[in-house]
Each structure stands twice: as C-alpha cells, then as structure tokens.
C-alpha cells in the first residue's frame, strides 16, 4: 500500500494524497483493494486503489475529489523548513475512455527532487486512484498506460 510521503498543510491536498494512498473512502465506500508496485527507475512506485460504492457514491466522491484538485495548487509539508513543497499542475492523459482527473506534483521531498502523478478515474460504481512517483522525472506516458489498463480492468 502506497503511503503519502508527507502530510500536506492544505486540506484539499491532504484529501487527494490520502485518497490516492487508499485511505478515506468517504461516505458509502464499500469494497476496497489497494496495492503498490515498484517500478524500474530510481524511487519509482505505482500505488493503485479501487473502491466500489453503492448508488451514486462513486460519482459524489469523484466530484468531491475534483473540487479538491482545484483547491490544491501547492502541496507543502506541515513542518516549516523541511524542504518539502510541490507545485501542482494539470497532467494530460489521452484516450482514457472514462471520467479522469489527473495532476502532476513536481518539487522537492525533504530537499530531494521528486515527482508524483495523481490520477482519479470514475468508471461505473468504482473510483480508481493511481499515484505514480519517482525521484527523477516520472513518465506521463507510463502513467497514461497504467490508467488505461486500470480502467479497462475495472470495466470488465
């Protein structure tokens, strides 16, 4: 299970990172699966979680995360002077075939260069969360491939 490497000061950023880490399913969240895979590059990890909801729960949770994404522009650690701060920008993922929100967090983690891609996708009654991280630049193409694969698996 991927765990956020820091606790963000901003509540919106904290909600995003906690959800990407498989925590905080929100109201109506039922069955949840979470797993982390090591990548081929230095410090590369991919964390995935899937949560099934009853009724409109997944849609409502996706809307909540979409609002939080708009409110998270800079993600910082709560400890002053820790050398942890990330600029948040849009991450474009083509041809996903589902409702997808994606962001790139690029900056420093305890002073070291670090990048995270955070993706949320809504497919039916399932909310998918993907975080793709690395010490050096993270390949957006690989993040897109992982996202499309997850969406395809959740839809079947």
């Amino acid at each position: 299970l991927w765990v956020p490497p820091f606790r963000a000061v901003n509540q919106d950023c904290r909600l995003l990172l906690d959800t990407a880490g498989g925590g905080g399913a929100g109201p109506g969240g039922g069955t949840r699966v979470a797993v982390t895979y090591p990548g081929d590059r230095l410090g590369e990890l991919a964390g995935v979680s899937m949560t099934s909801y009853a009724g409109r729960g997944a849609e409502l949770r996706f809307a909540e995360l979409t609002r939080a994404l708009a409110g998270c522009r800079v993600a910082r650690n709560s400890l002053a002077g820790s050398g942890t701060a990330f600029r948040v920008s849009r991450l474009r993922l083509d041809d996903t075939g589902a409702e997808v929100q994606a962001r790139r967090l690029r900056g420093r983690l305890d002073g070291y260069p670090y990048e995270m891609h955070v993706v949320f996708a809504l497919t039916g009654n399932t909310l998918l969360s993907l975080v793709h991280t690395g010490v050096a630049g993270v390949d957006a193409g690989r993040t897109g491939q992982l996202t499309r694969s997850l969406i395809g698996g959740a839809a079947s």
Side-chain angles (χ1 to χ4, degrees):
L1 177 65
W2 181 80
V3 176
F6 66 97
R7 183 153 172 84
V9 173
N10 176 291
Q11 281 187 316
D12 290 327
C13 296
R14 190 176 321 133
L15 174 65
L16 300 174
L17 293 174
D18 288 348
T19 302
T31 306
R32 184 182 330 169
V33 175
V35 66
T36 300
Y37 300 98
D40 297 332
R41 298 185 178 142
L42 179 63
E44 184 181 25
L45 291 172
V48 176
S49 75
M50 295 182 177
T51 306
S52 295
Y53 292 80
R56 295 185 56 222
E59 182 182 333
L60 295 172
R61 185 65 170 173
F62 186 75
E64 178 184 22
L65 292 168
T66 298
R67 285 189 298 276
L69 283 165
C72 179
R73 298 182 190 265
V74 175
R76 295 183 196 280
N77 193 337
S78 59
L79 302 173
S82 70
T84 297
F86 294 88
R87 287 211 163 291
V88 181
S89 61
R90 285 200 180 274
L91 177 64
R92 297 182 59 81
L93 302 177
D94 298 325
D95 303 322
T96 58
E99 289 189 67
V100 173
Q101 291 287 337
R103 295 294 185 273
R104 170 181 280 132
L105 287 79
R106 185 179 289 165
R108 296 205 170 264
L109 176 64
D110 295 328
Y112 295 96
Y114 198 75
E115 185 172 328
M116 289 184 271
H117 296 170
V118 178
V119 181
F120 300 103
L122 176 64
T123 177
N125 289 335
T126 302
L127 178 68
L128 304 170
S129 302
L130 166 69
V131 63
H132 185 198
T133 69
V135 173
V138 178
D139 183 0
R142 286 174 59 135
T143 301
Q145 288 174 332
L146 287 166
T147 302
R148 286 187 293 279
S149 175
L150 290 170
I151 291 169
S156 57

